[in-house]
């Protein structure tokens, strides 16, 4: 196991590979393989966060965990660059969240890259906090950001996000197969 698999988690990387394989099979119009892939998974996901049952709760919780972690780090830095970085992260997270509903591997990669950059920024902020005058607020926000990043990693490697993506991929496969089987063949 290499370092990247250990840091990011093998479940998320396997899910990204699964979604990428399905996208390649759709692009190659391999209907028999798609049928086998779709039949492997039929269970619909259910996630319970804060007493609410929804299919997309794991993706929405991941979105808010990463967004709040960015907000905590931006408050600590307190500057114009932090605001611009926060808006950029918000836009990228919105794009990633919309891609999850369409079962795109790119959205999972985007979540993973945002999480990686926030972890790196979190470590840099630890060094920056050493040079600032001591503040309980800064220390509390930095700790909250670390806990939110840990929560995001747990959600990215959790079974609910995997079930959600597999369910969306099976729906995507069924739509493609239905479309491919109803279209007349061109000779």
């Amino acid at each position: 196991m290499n370092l990247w698999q250990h840091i990011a988690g093998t479940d998320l990387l396997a899910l990204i590979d699964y979604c990428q394989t399905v996208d390649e099979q759709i692009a190659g119009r391999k209907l028999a393989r798609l049928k086998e892939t779709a039949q492997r998974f039929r269970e619909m996901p259910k996630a319970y966060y804060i007493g609410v049952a929804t299919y997309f709760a794991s993706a929405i919780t991941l979105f808010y965990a990463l967004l709040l972690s960015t907000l905590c780090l931006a408050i600590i830095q307190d500057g114009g660059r932090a605001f611009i970085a926060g808006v950029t992260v918000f836009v990228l997270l919105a794009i990633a969240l919309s891609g999850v509903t369409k079962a795109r591997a790119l959205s999972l990669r985007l979540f993973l890259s945002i999480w990686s950059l926030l972890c790196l920024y979190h470590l840099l902020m630890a060094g920056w906090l050493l040079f600032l005058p001591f503040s309980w607020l800064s220390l509390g926000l930095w700790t909250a950001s670390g806990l939110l990043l840990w929560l995001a990693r747990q959600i990215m490697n959790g079974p609910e996000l995997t079930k959600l993506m597999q369910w969306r991929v099976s729906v995507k496969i069924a739509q493609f197969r239905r479309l491919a089987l109803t279209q007349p063949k061109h000779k």
Side-chain angles (χ1 to χ4, degrees):
M1 178 186 290
N2 64 19
L3 182 63
W4 181 245
Q5 287 177 334
H6 183 68
I7 291 172
T10 55
D11 293 340
L12 180 67
L13 296 176
L15 185 60
I16 290 172
D17 288 340
Y18 172 74
C19 292
Q20 187 66 37
T21 302
V22 169
D23 287 341
E24 289 170 0
Q25 289 175 353
I26 287 176
R29 301 185 60 84
K30 298 178 180 170
L31 293 176
R33 288 187 190 164
L34 284 172
K35 183 178 179 183
E36 292 171 7
T37 306
Q39 288 177 346
R40 277 190 263 161
F41 187 79
R42 296 248 179 224
E43 182 183 354
M44 291 177 63
K46 286 205 178 183
Y48 295 96
Y49 293 101
I50 314 171
V52 176
T54 177
Y55 297 128
F56 299 104
S58 56
I60 291 170
T61 306
L62 179 61
F63 172 82
Y64 282 119
L66 291 174
L67 187 65
L68 290 174
S69 176
T70 304
L71 181 65
C72 289
L73 292 174
I75 289 172
I76 293 172
Q77 190 174 8
D78 190 35
R81 286 181 283 169
F83 176 74
I84 293 170
V87 170
T88 304
V89 167
F90 176 74
V91 169
L92 290 175
L93 284 172
I95 292 169
L97 188 61
S98 68
V100 166
T101 61
K102 296 176 182 121
R104 293 191 176 142
L106 178 65
S107 64
L108 292 175
R109 284 195 183 111
L110 199 52
F111 273 132
L112 182 61
S113 61
I114 291 169
W115 178 80
S116 302
L117 288 174
L118 284 176
C119 285
L120 180 65
Y121 187 58
H122 189 260
L123 291 175
L124 291 174
M125 287 301 287
W128 193 65
L129 284 175
L130 293 175
F131 296 108
L132 288 177
F134 181 75
S135 166
W136 284 106
L137 178 65
S138 296
L139 185 63
L141 288 172
W142 184 79
T143 305
S145 173
L147 289 173
L148 287 167
L149 288 172
W150 174 80
L151 175 68
R153 185 185 184 280
Q154 296 301 318
I155 292 170
M156 285 191 297
N157 287 297
E160 293 302 326
L161 186 65
T162 302
K163 286 180 186 177
L164 170 69
M165 289 303 289
Q166 287 176 336
W167 175 62
R168 292 305 302 167
V169 165
S170 67
V171 169
K172 182 176 168 180
I173 290 170
Q175 289 173 347
F176 174 75
R177 288 190 72 239
R178 190 176 320 114
L179 182 68
L181 293 174
T182 56
Q183 288 180 346
K185 292 186 178 184
H186 299 287
K187 292 186 179 182

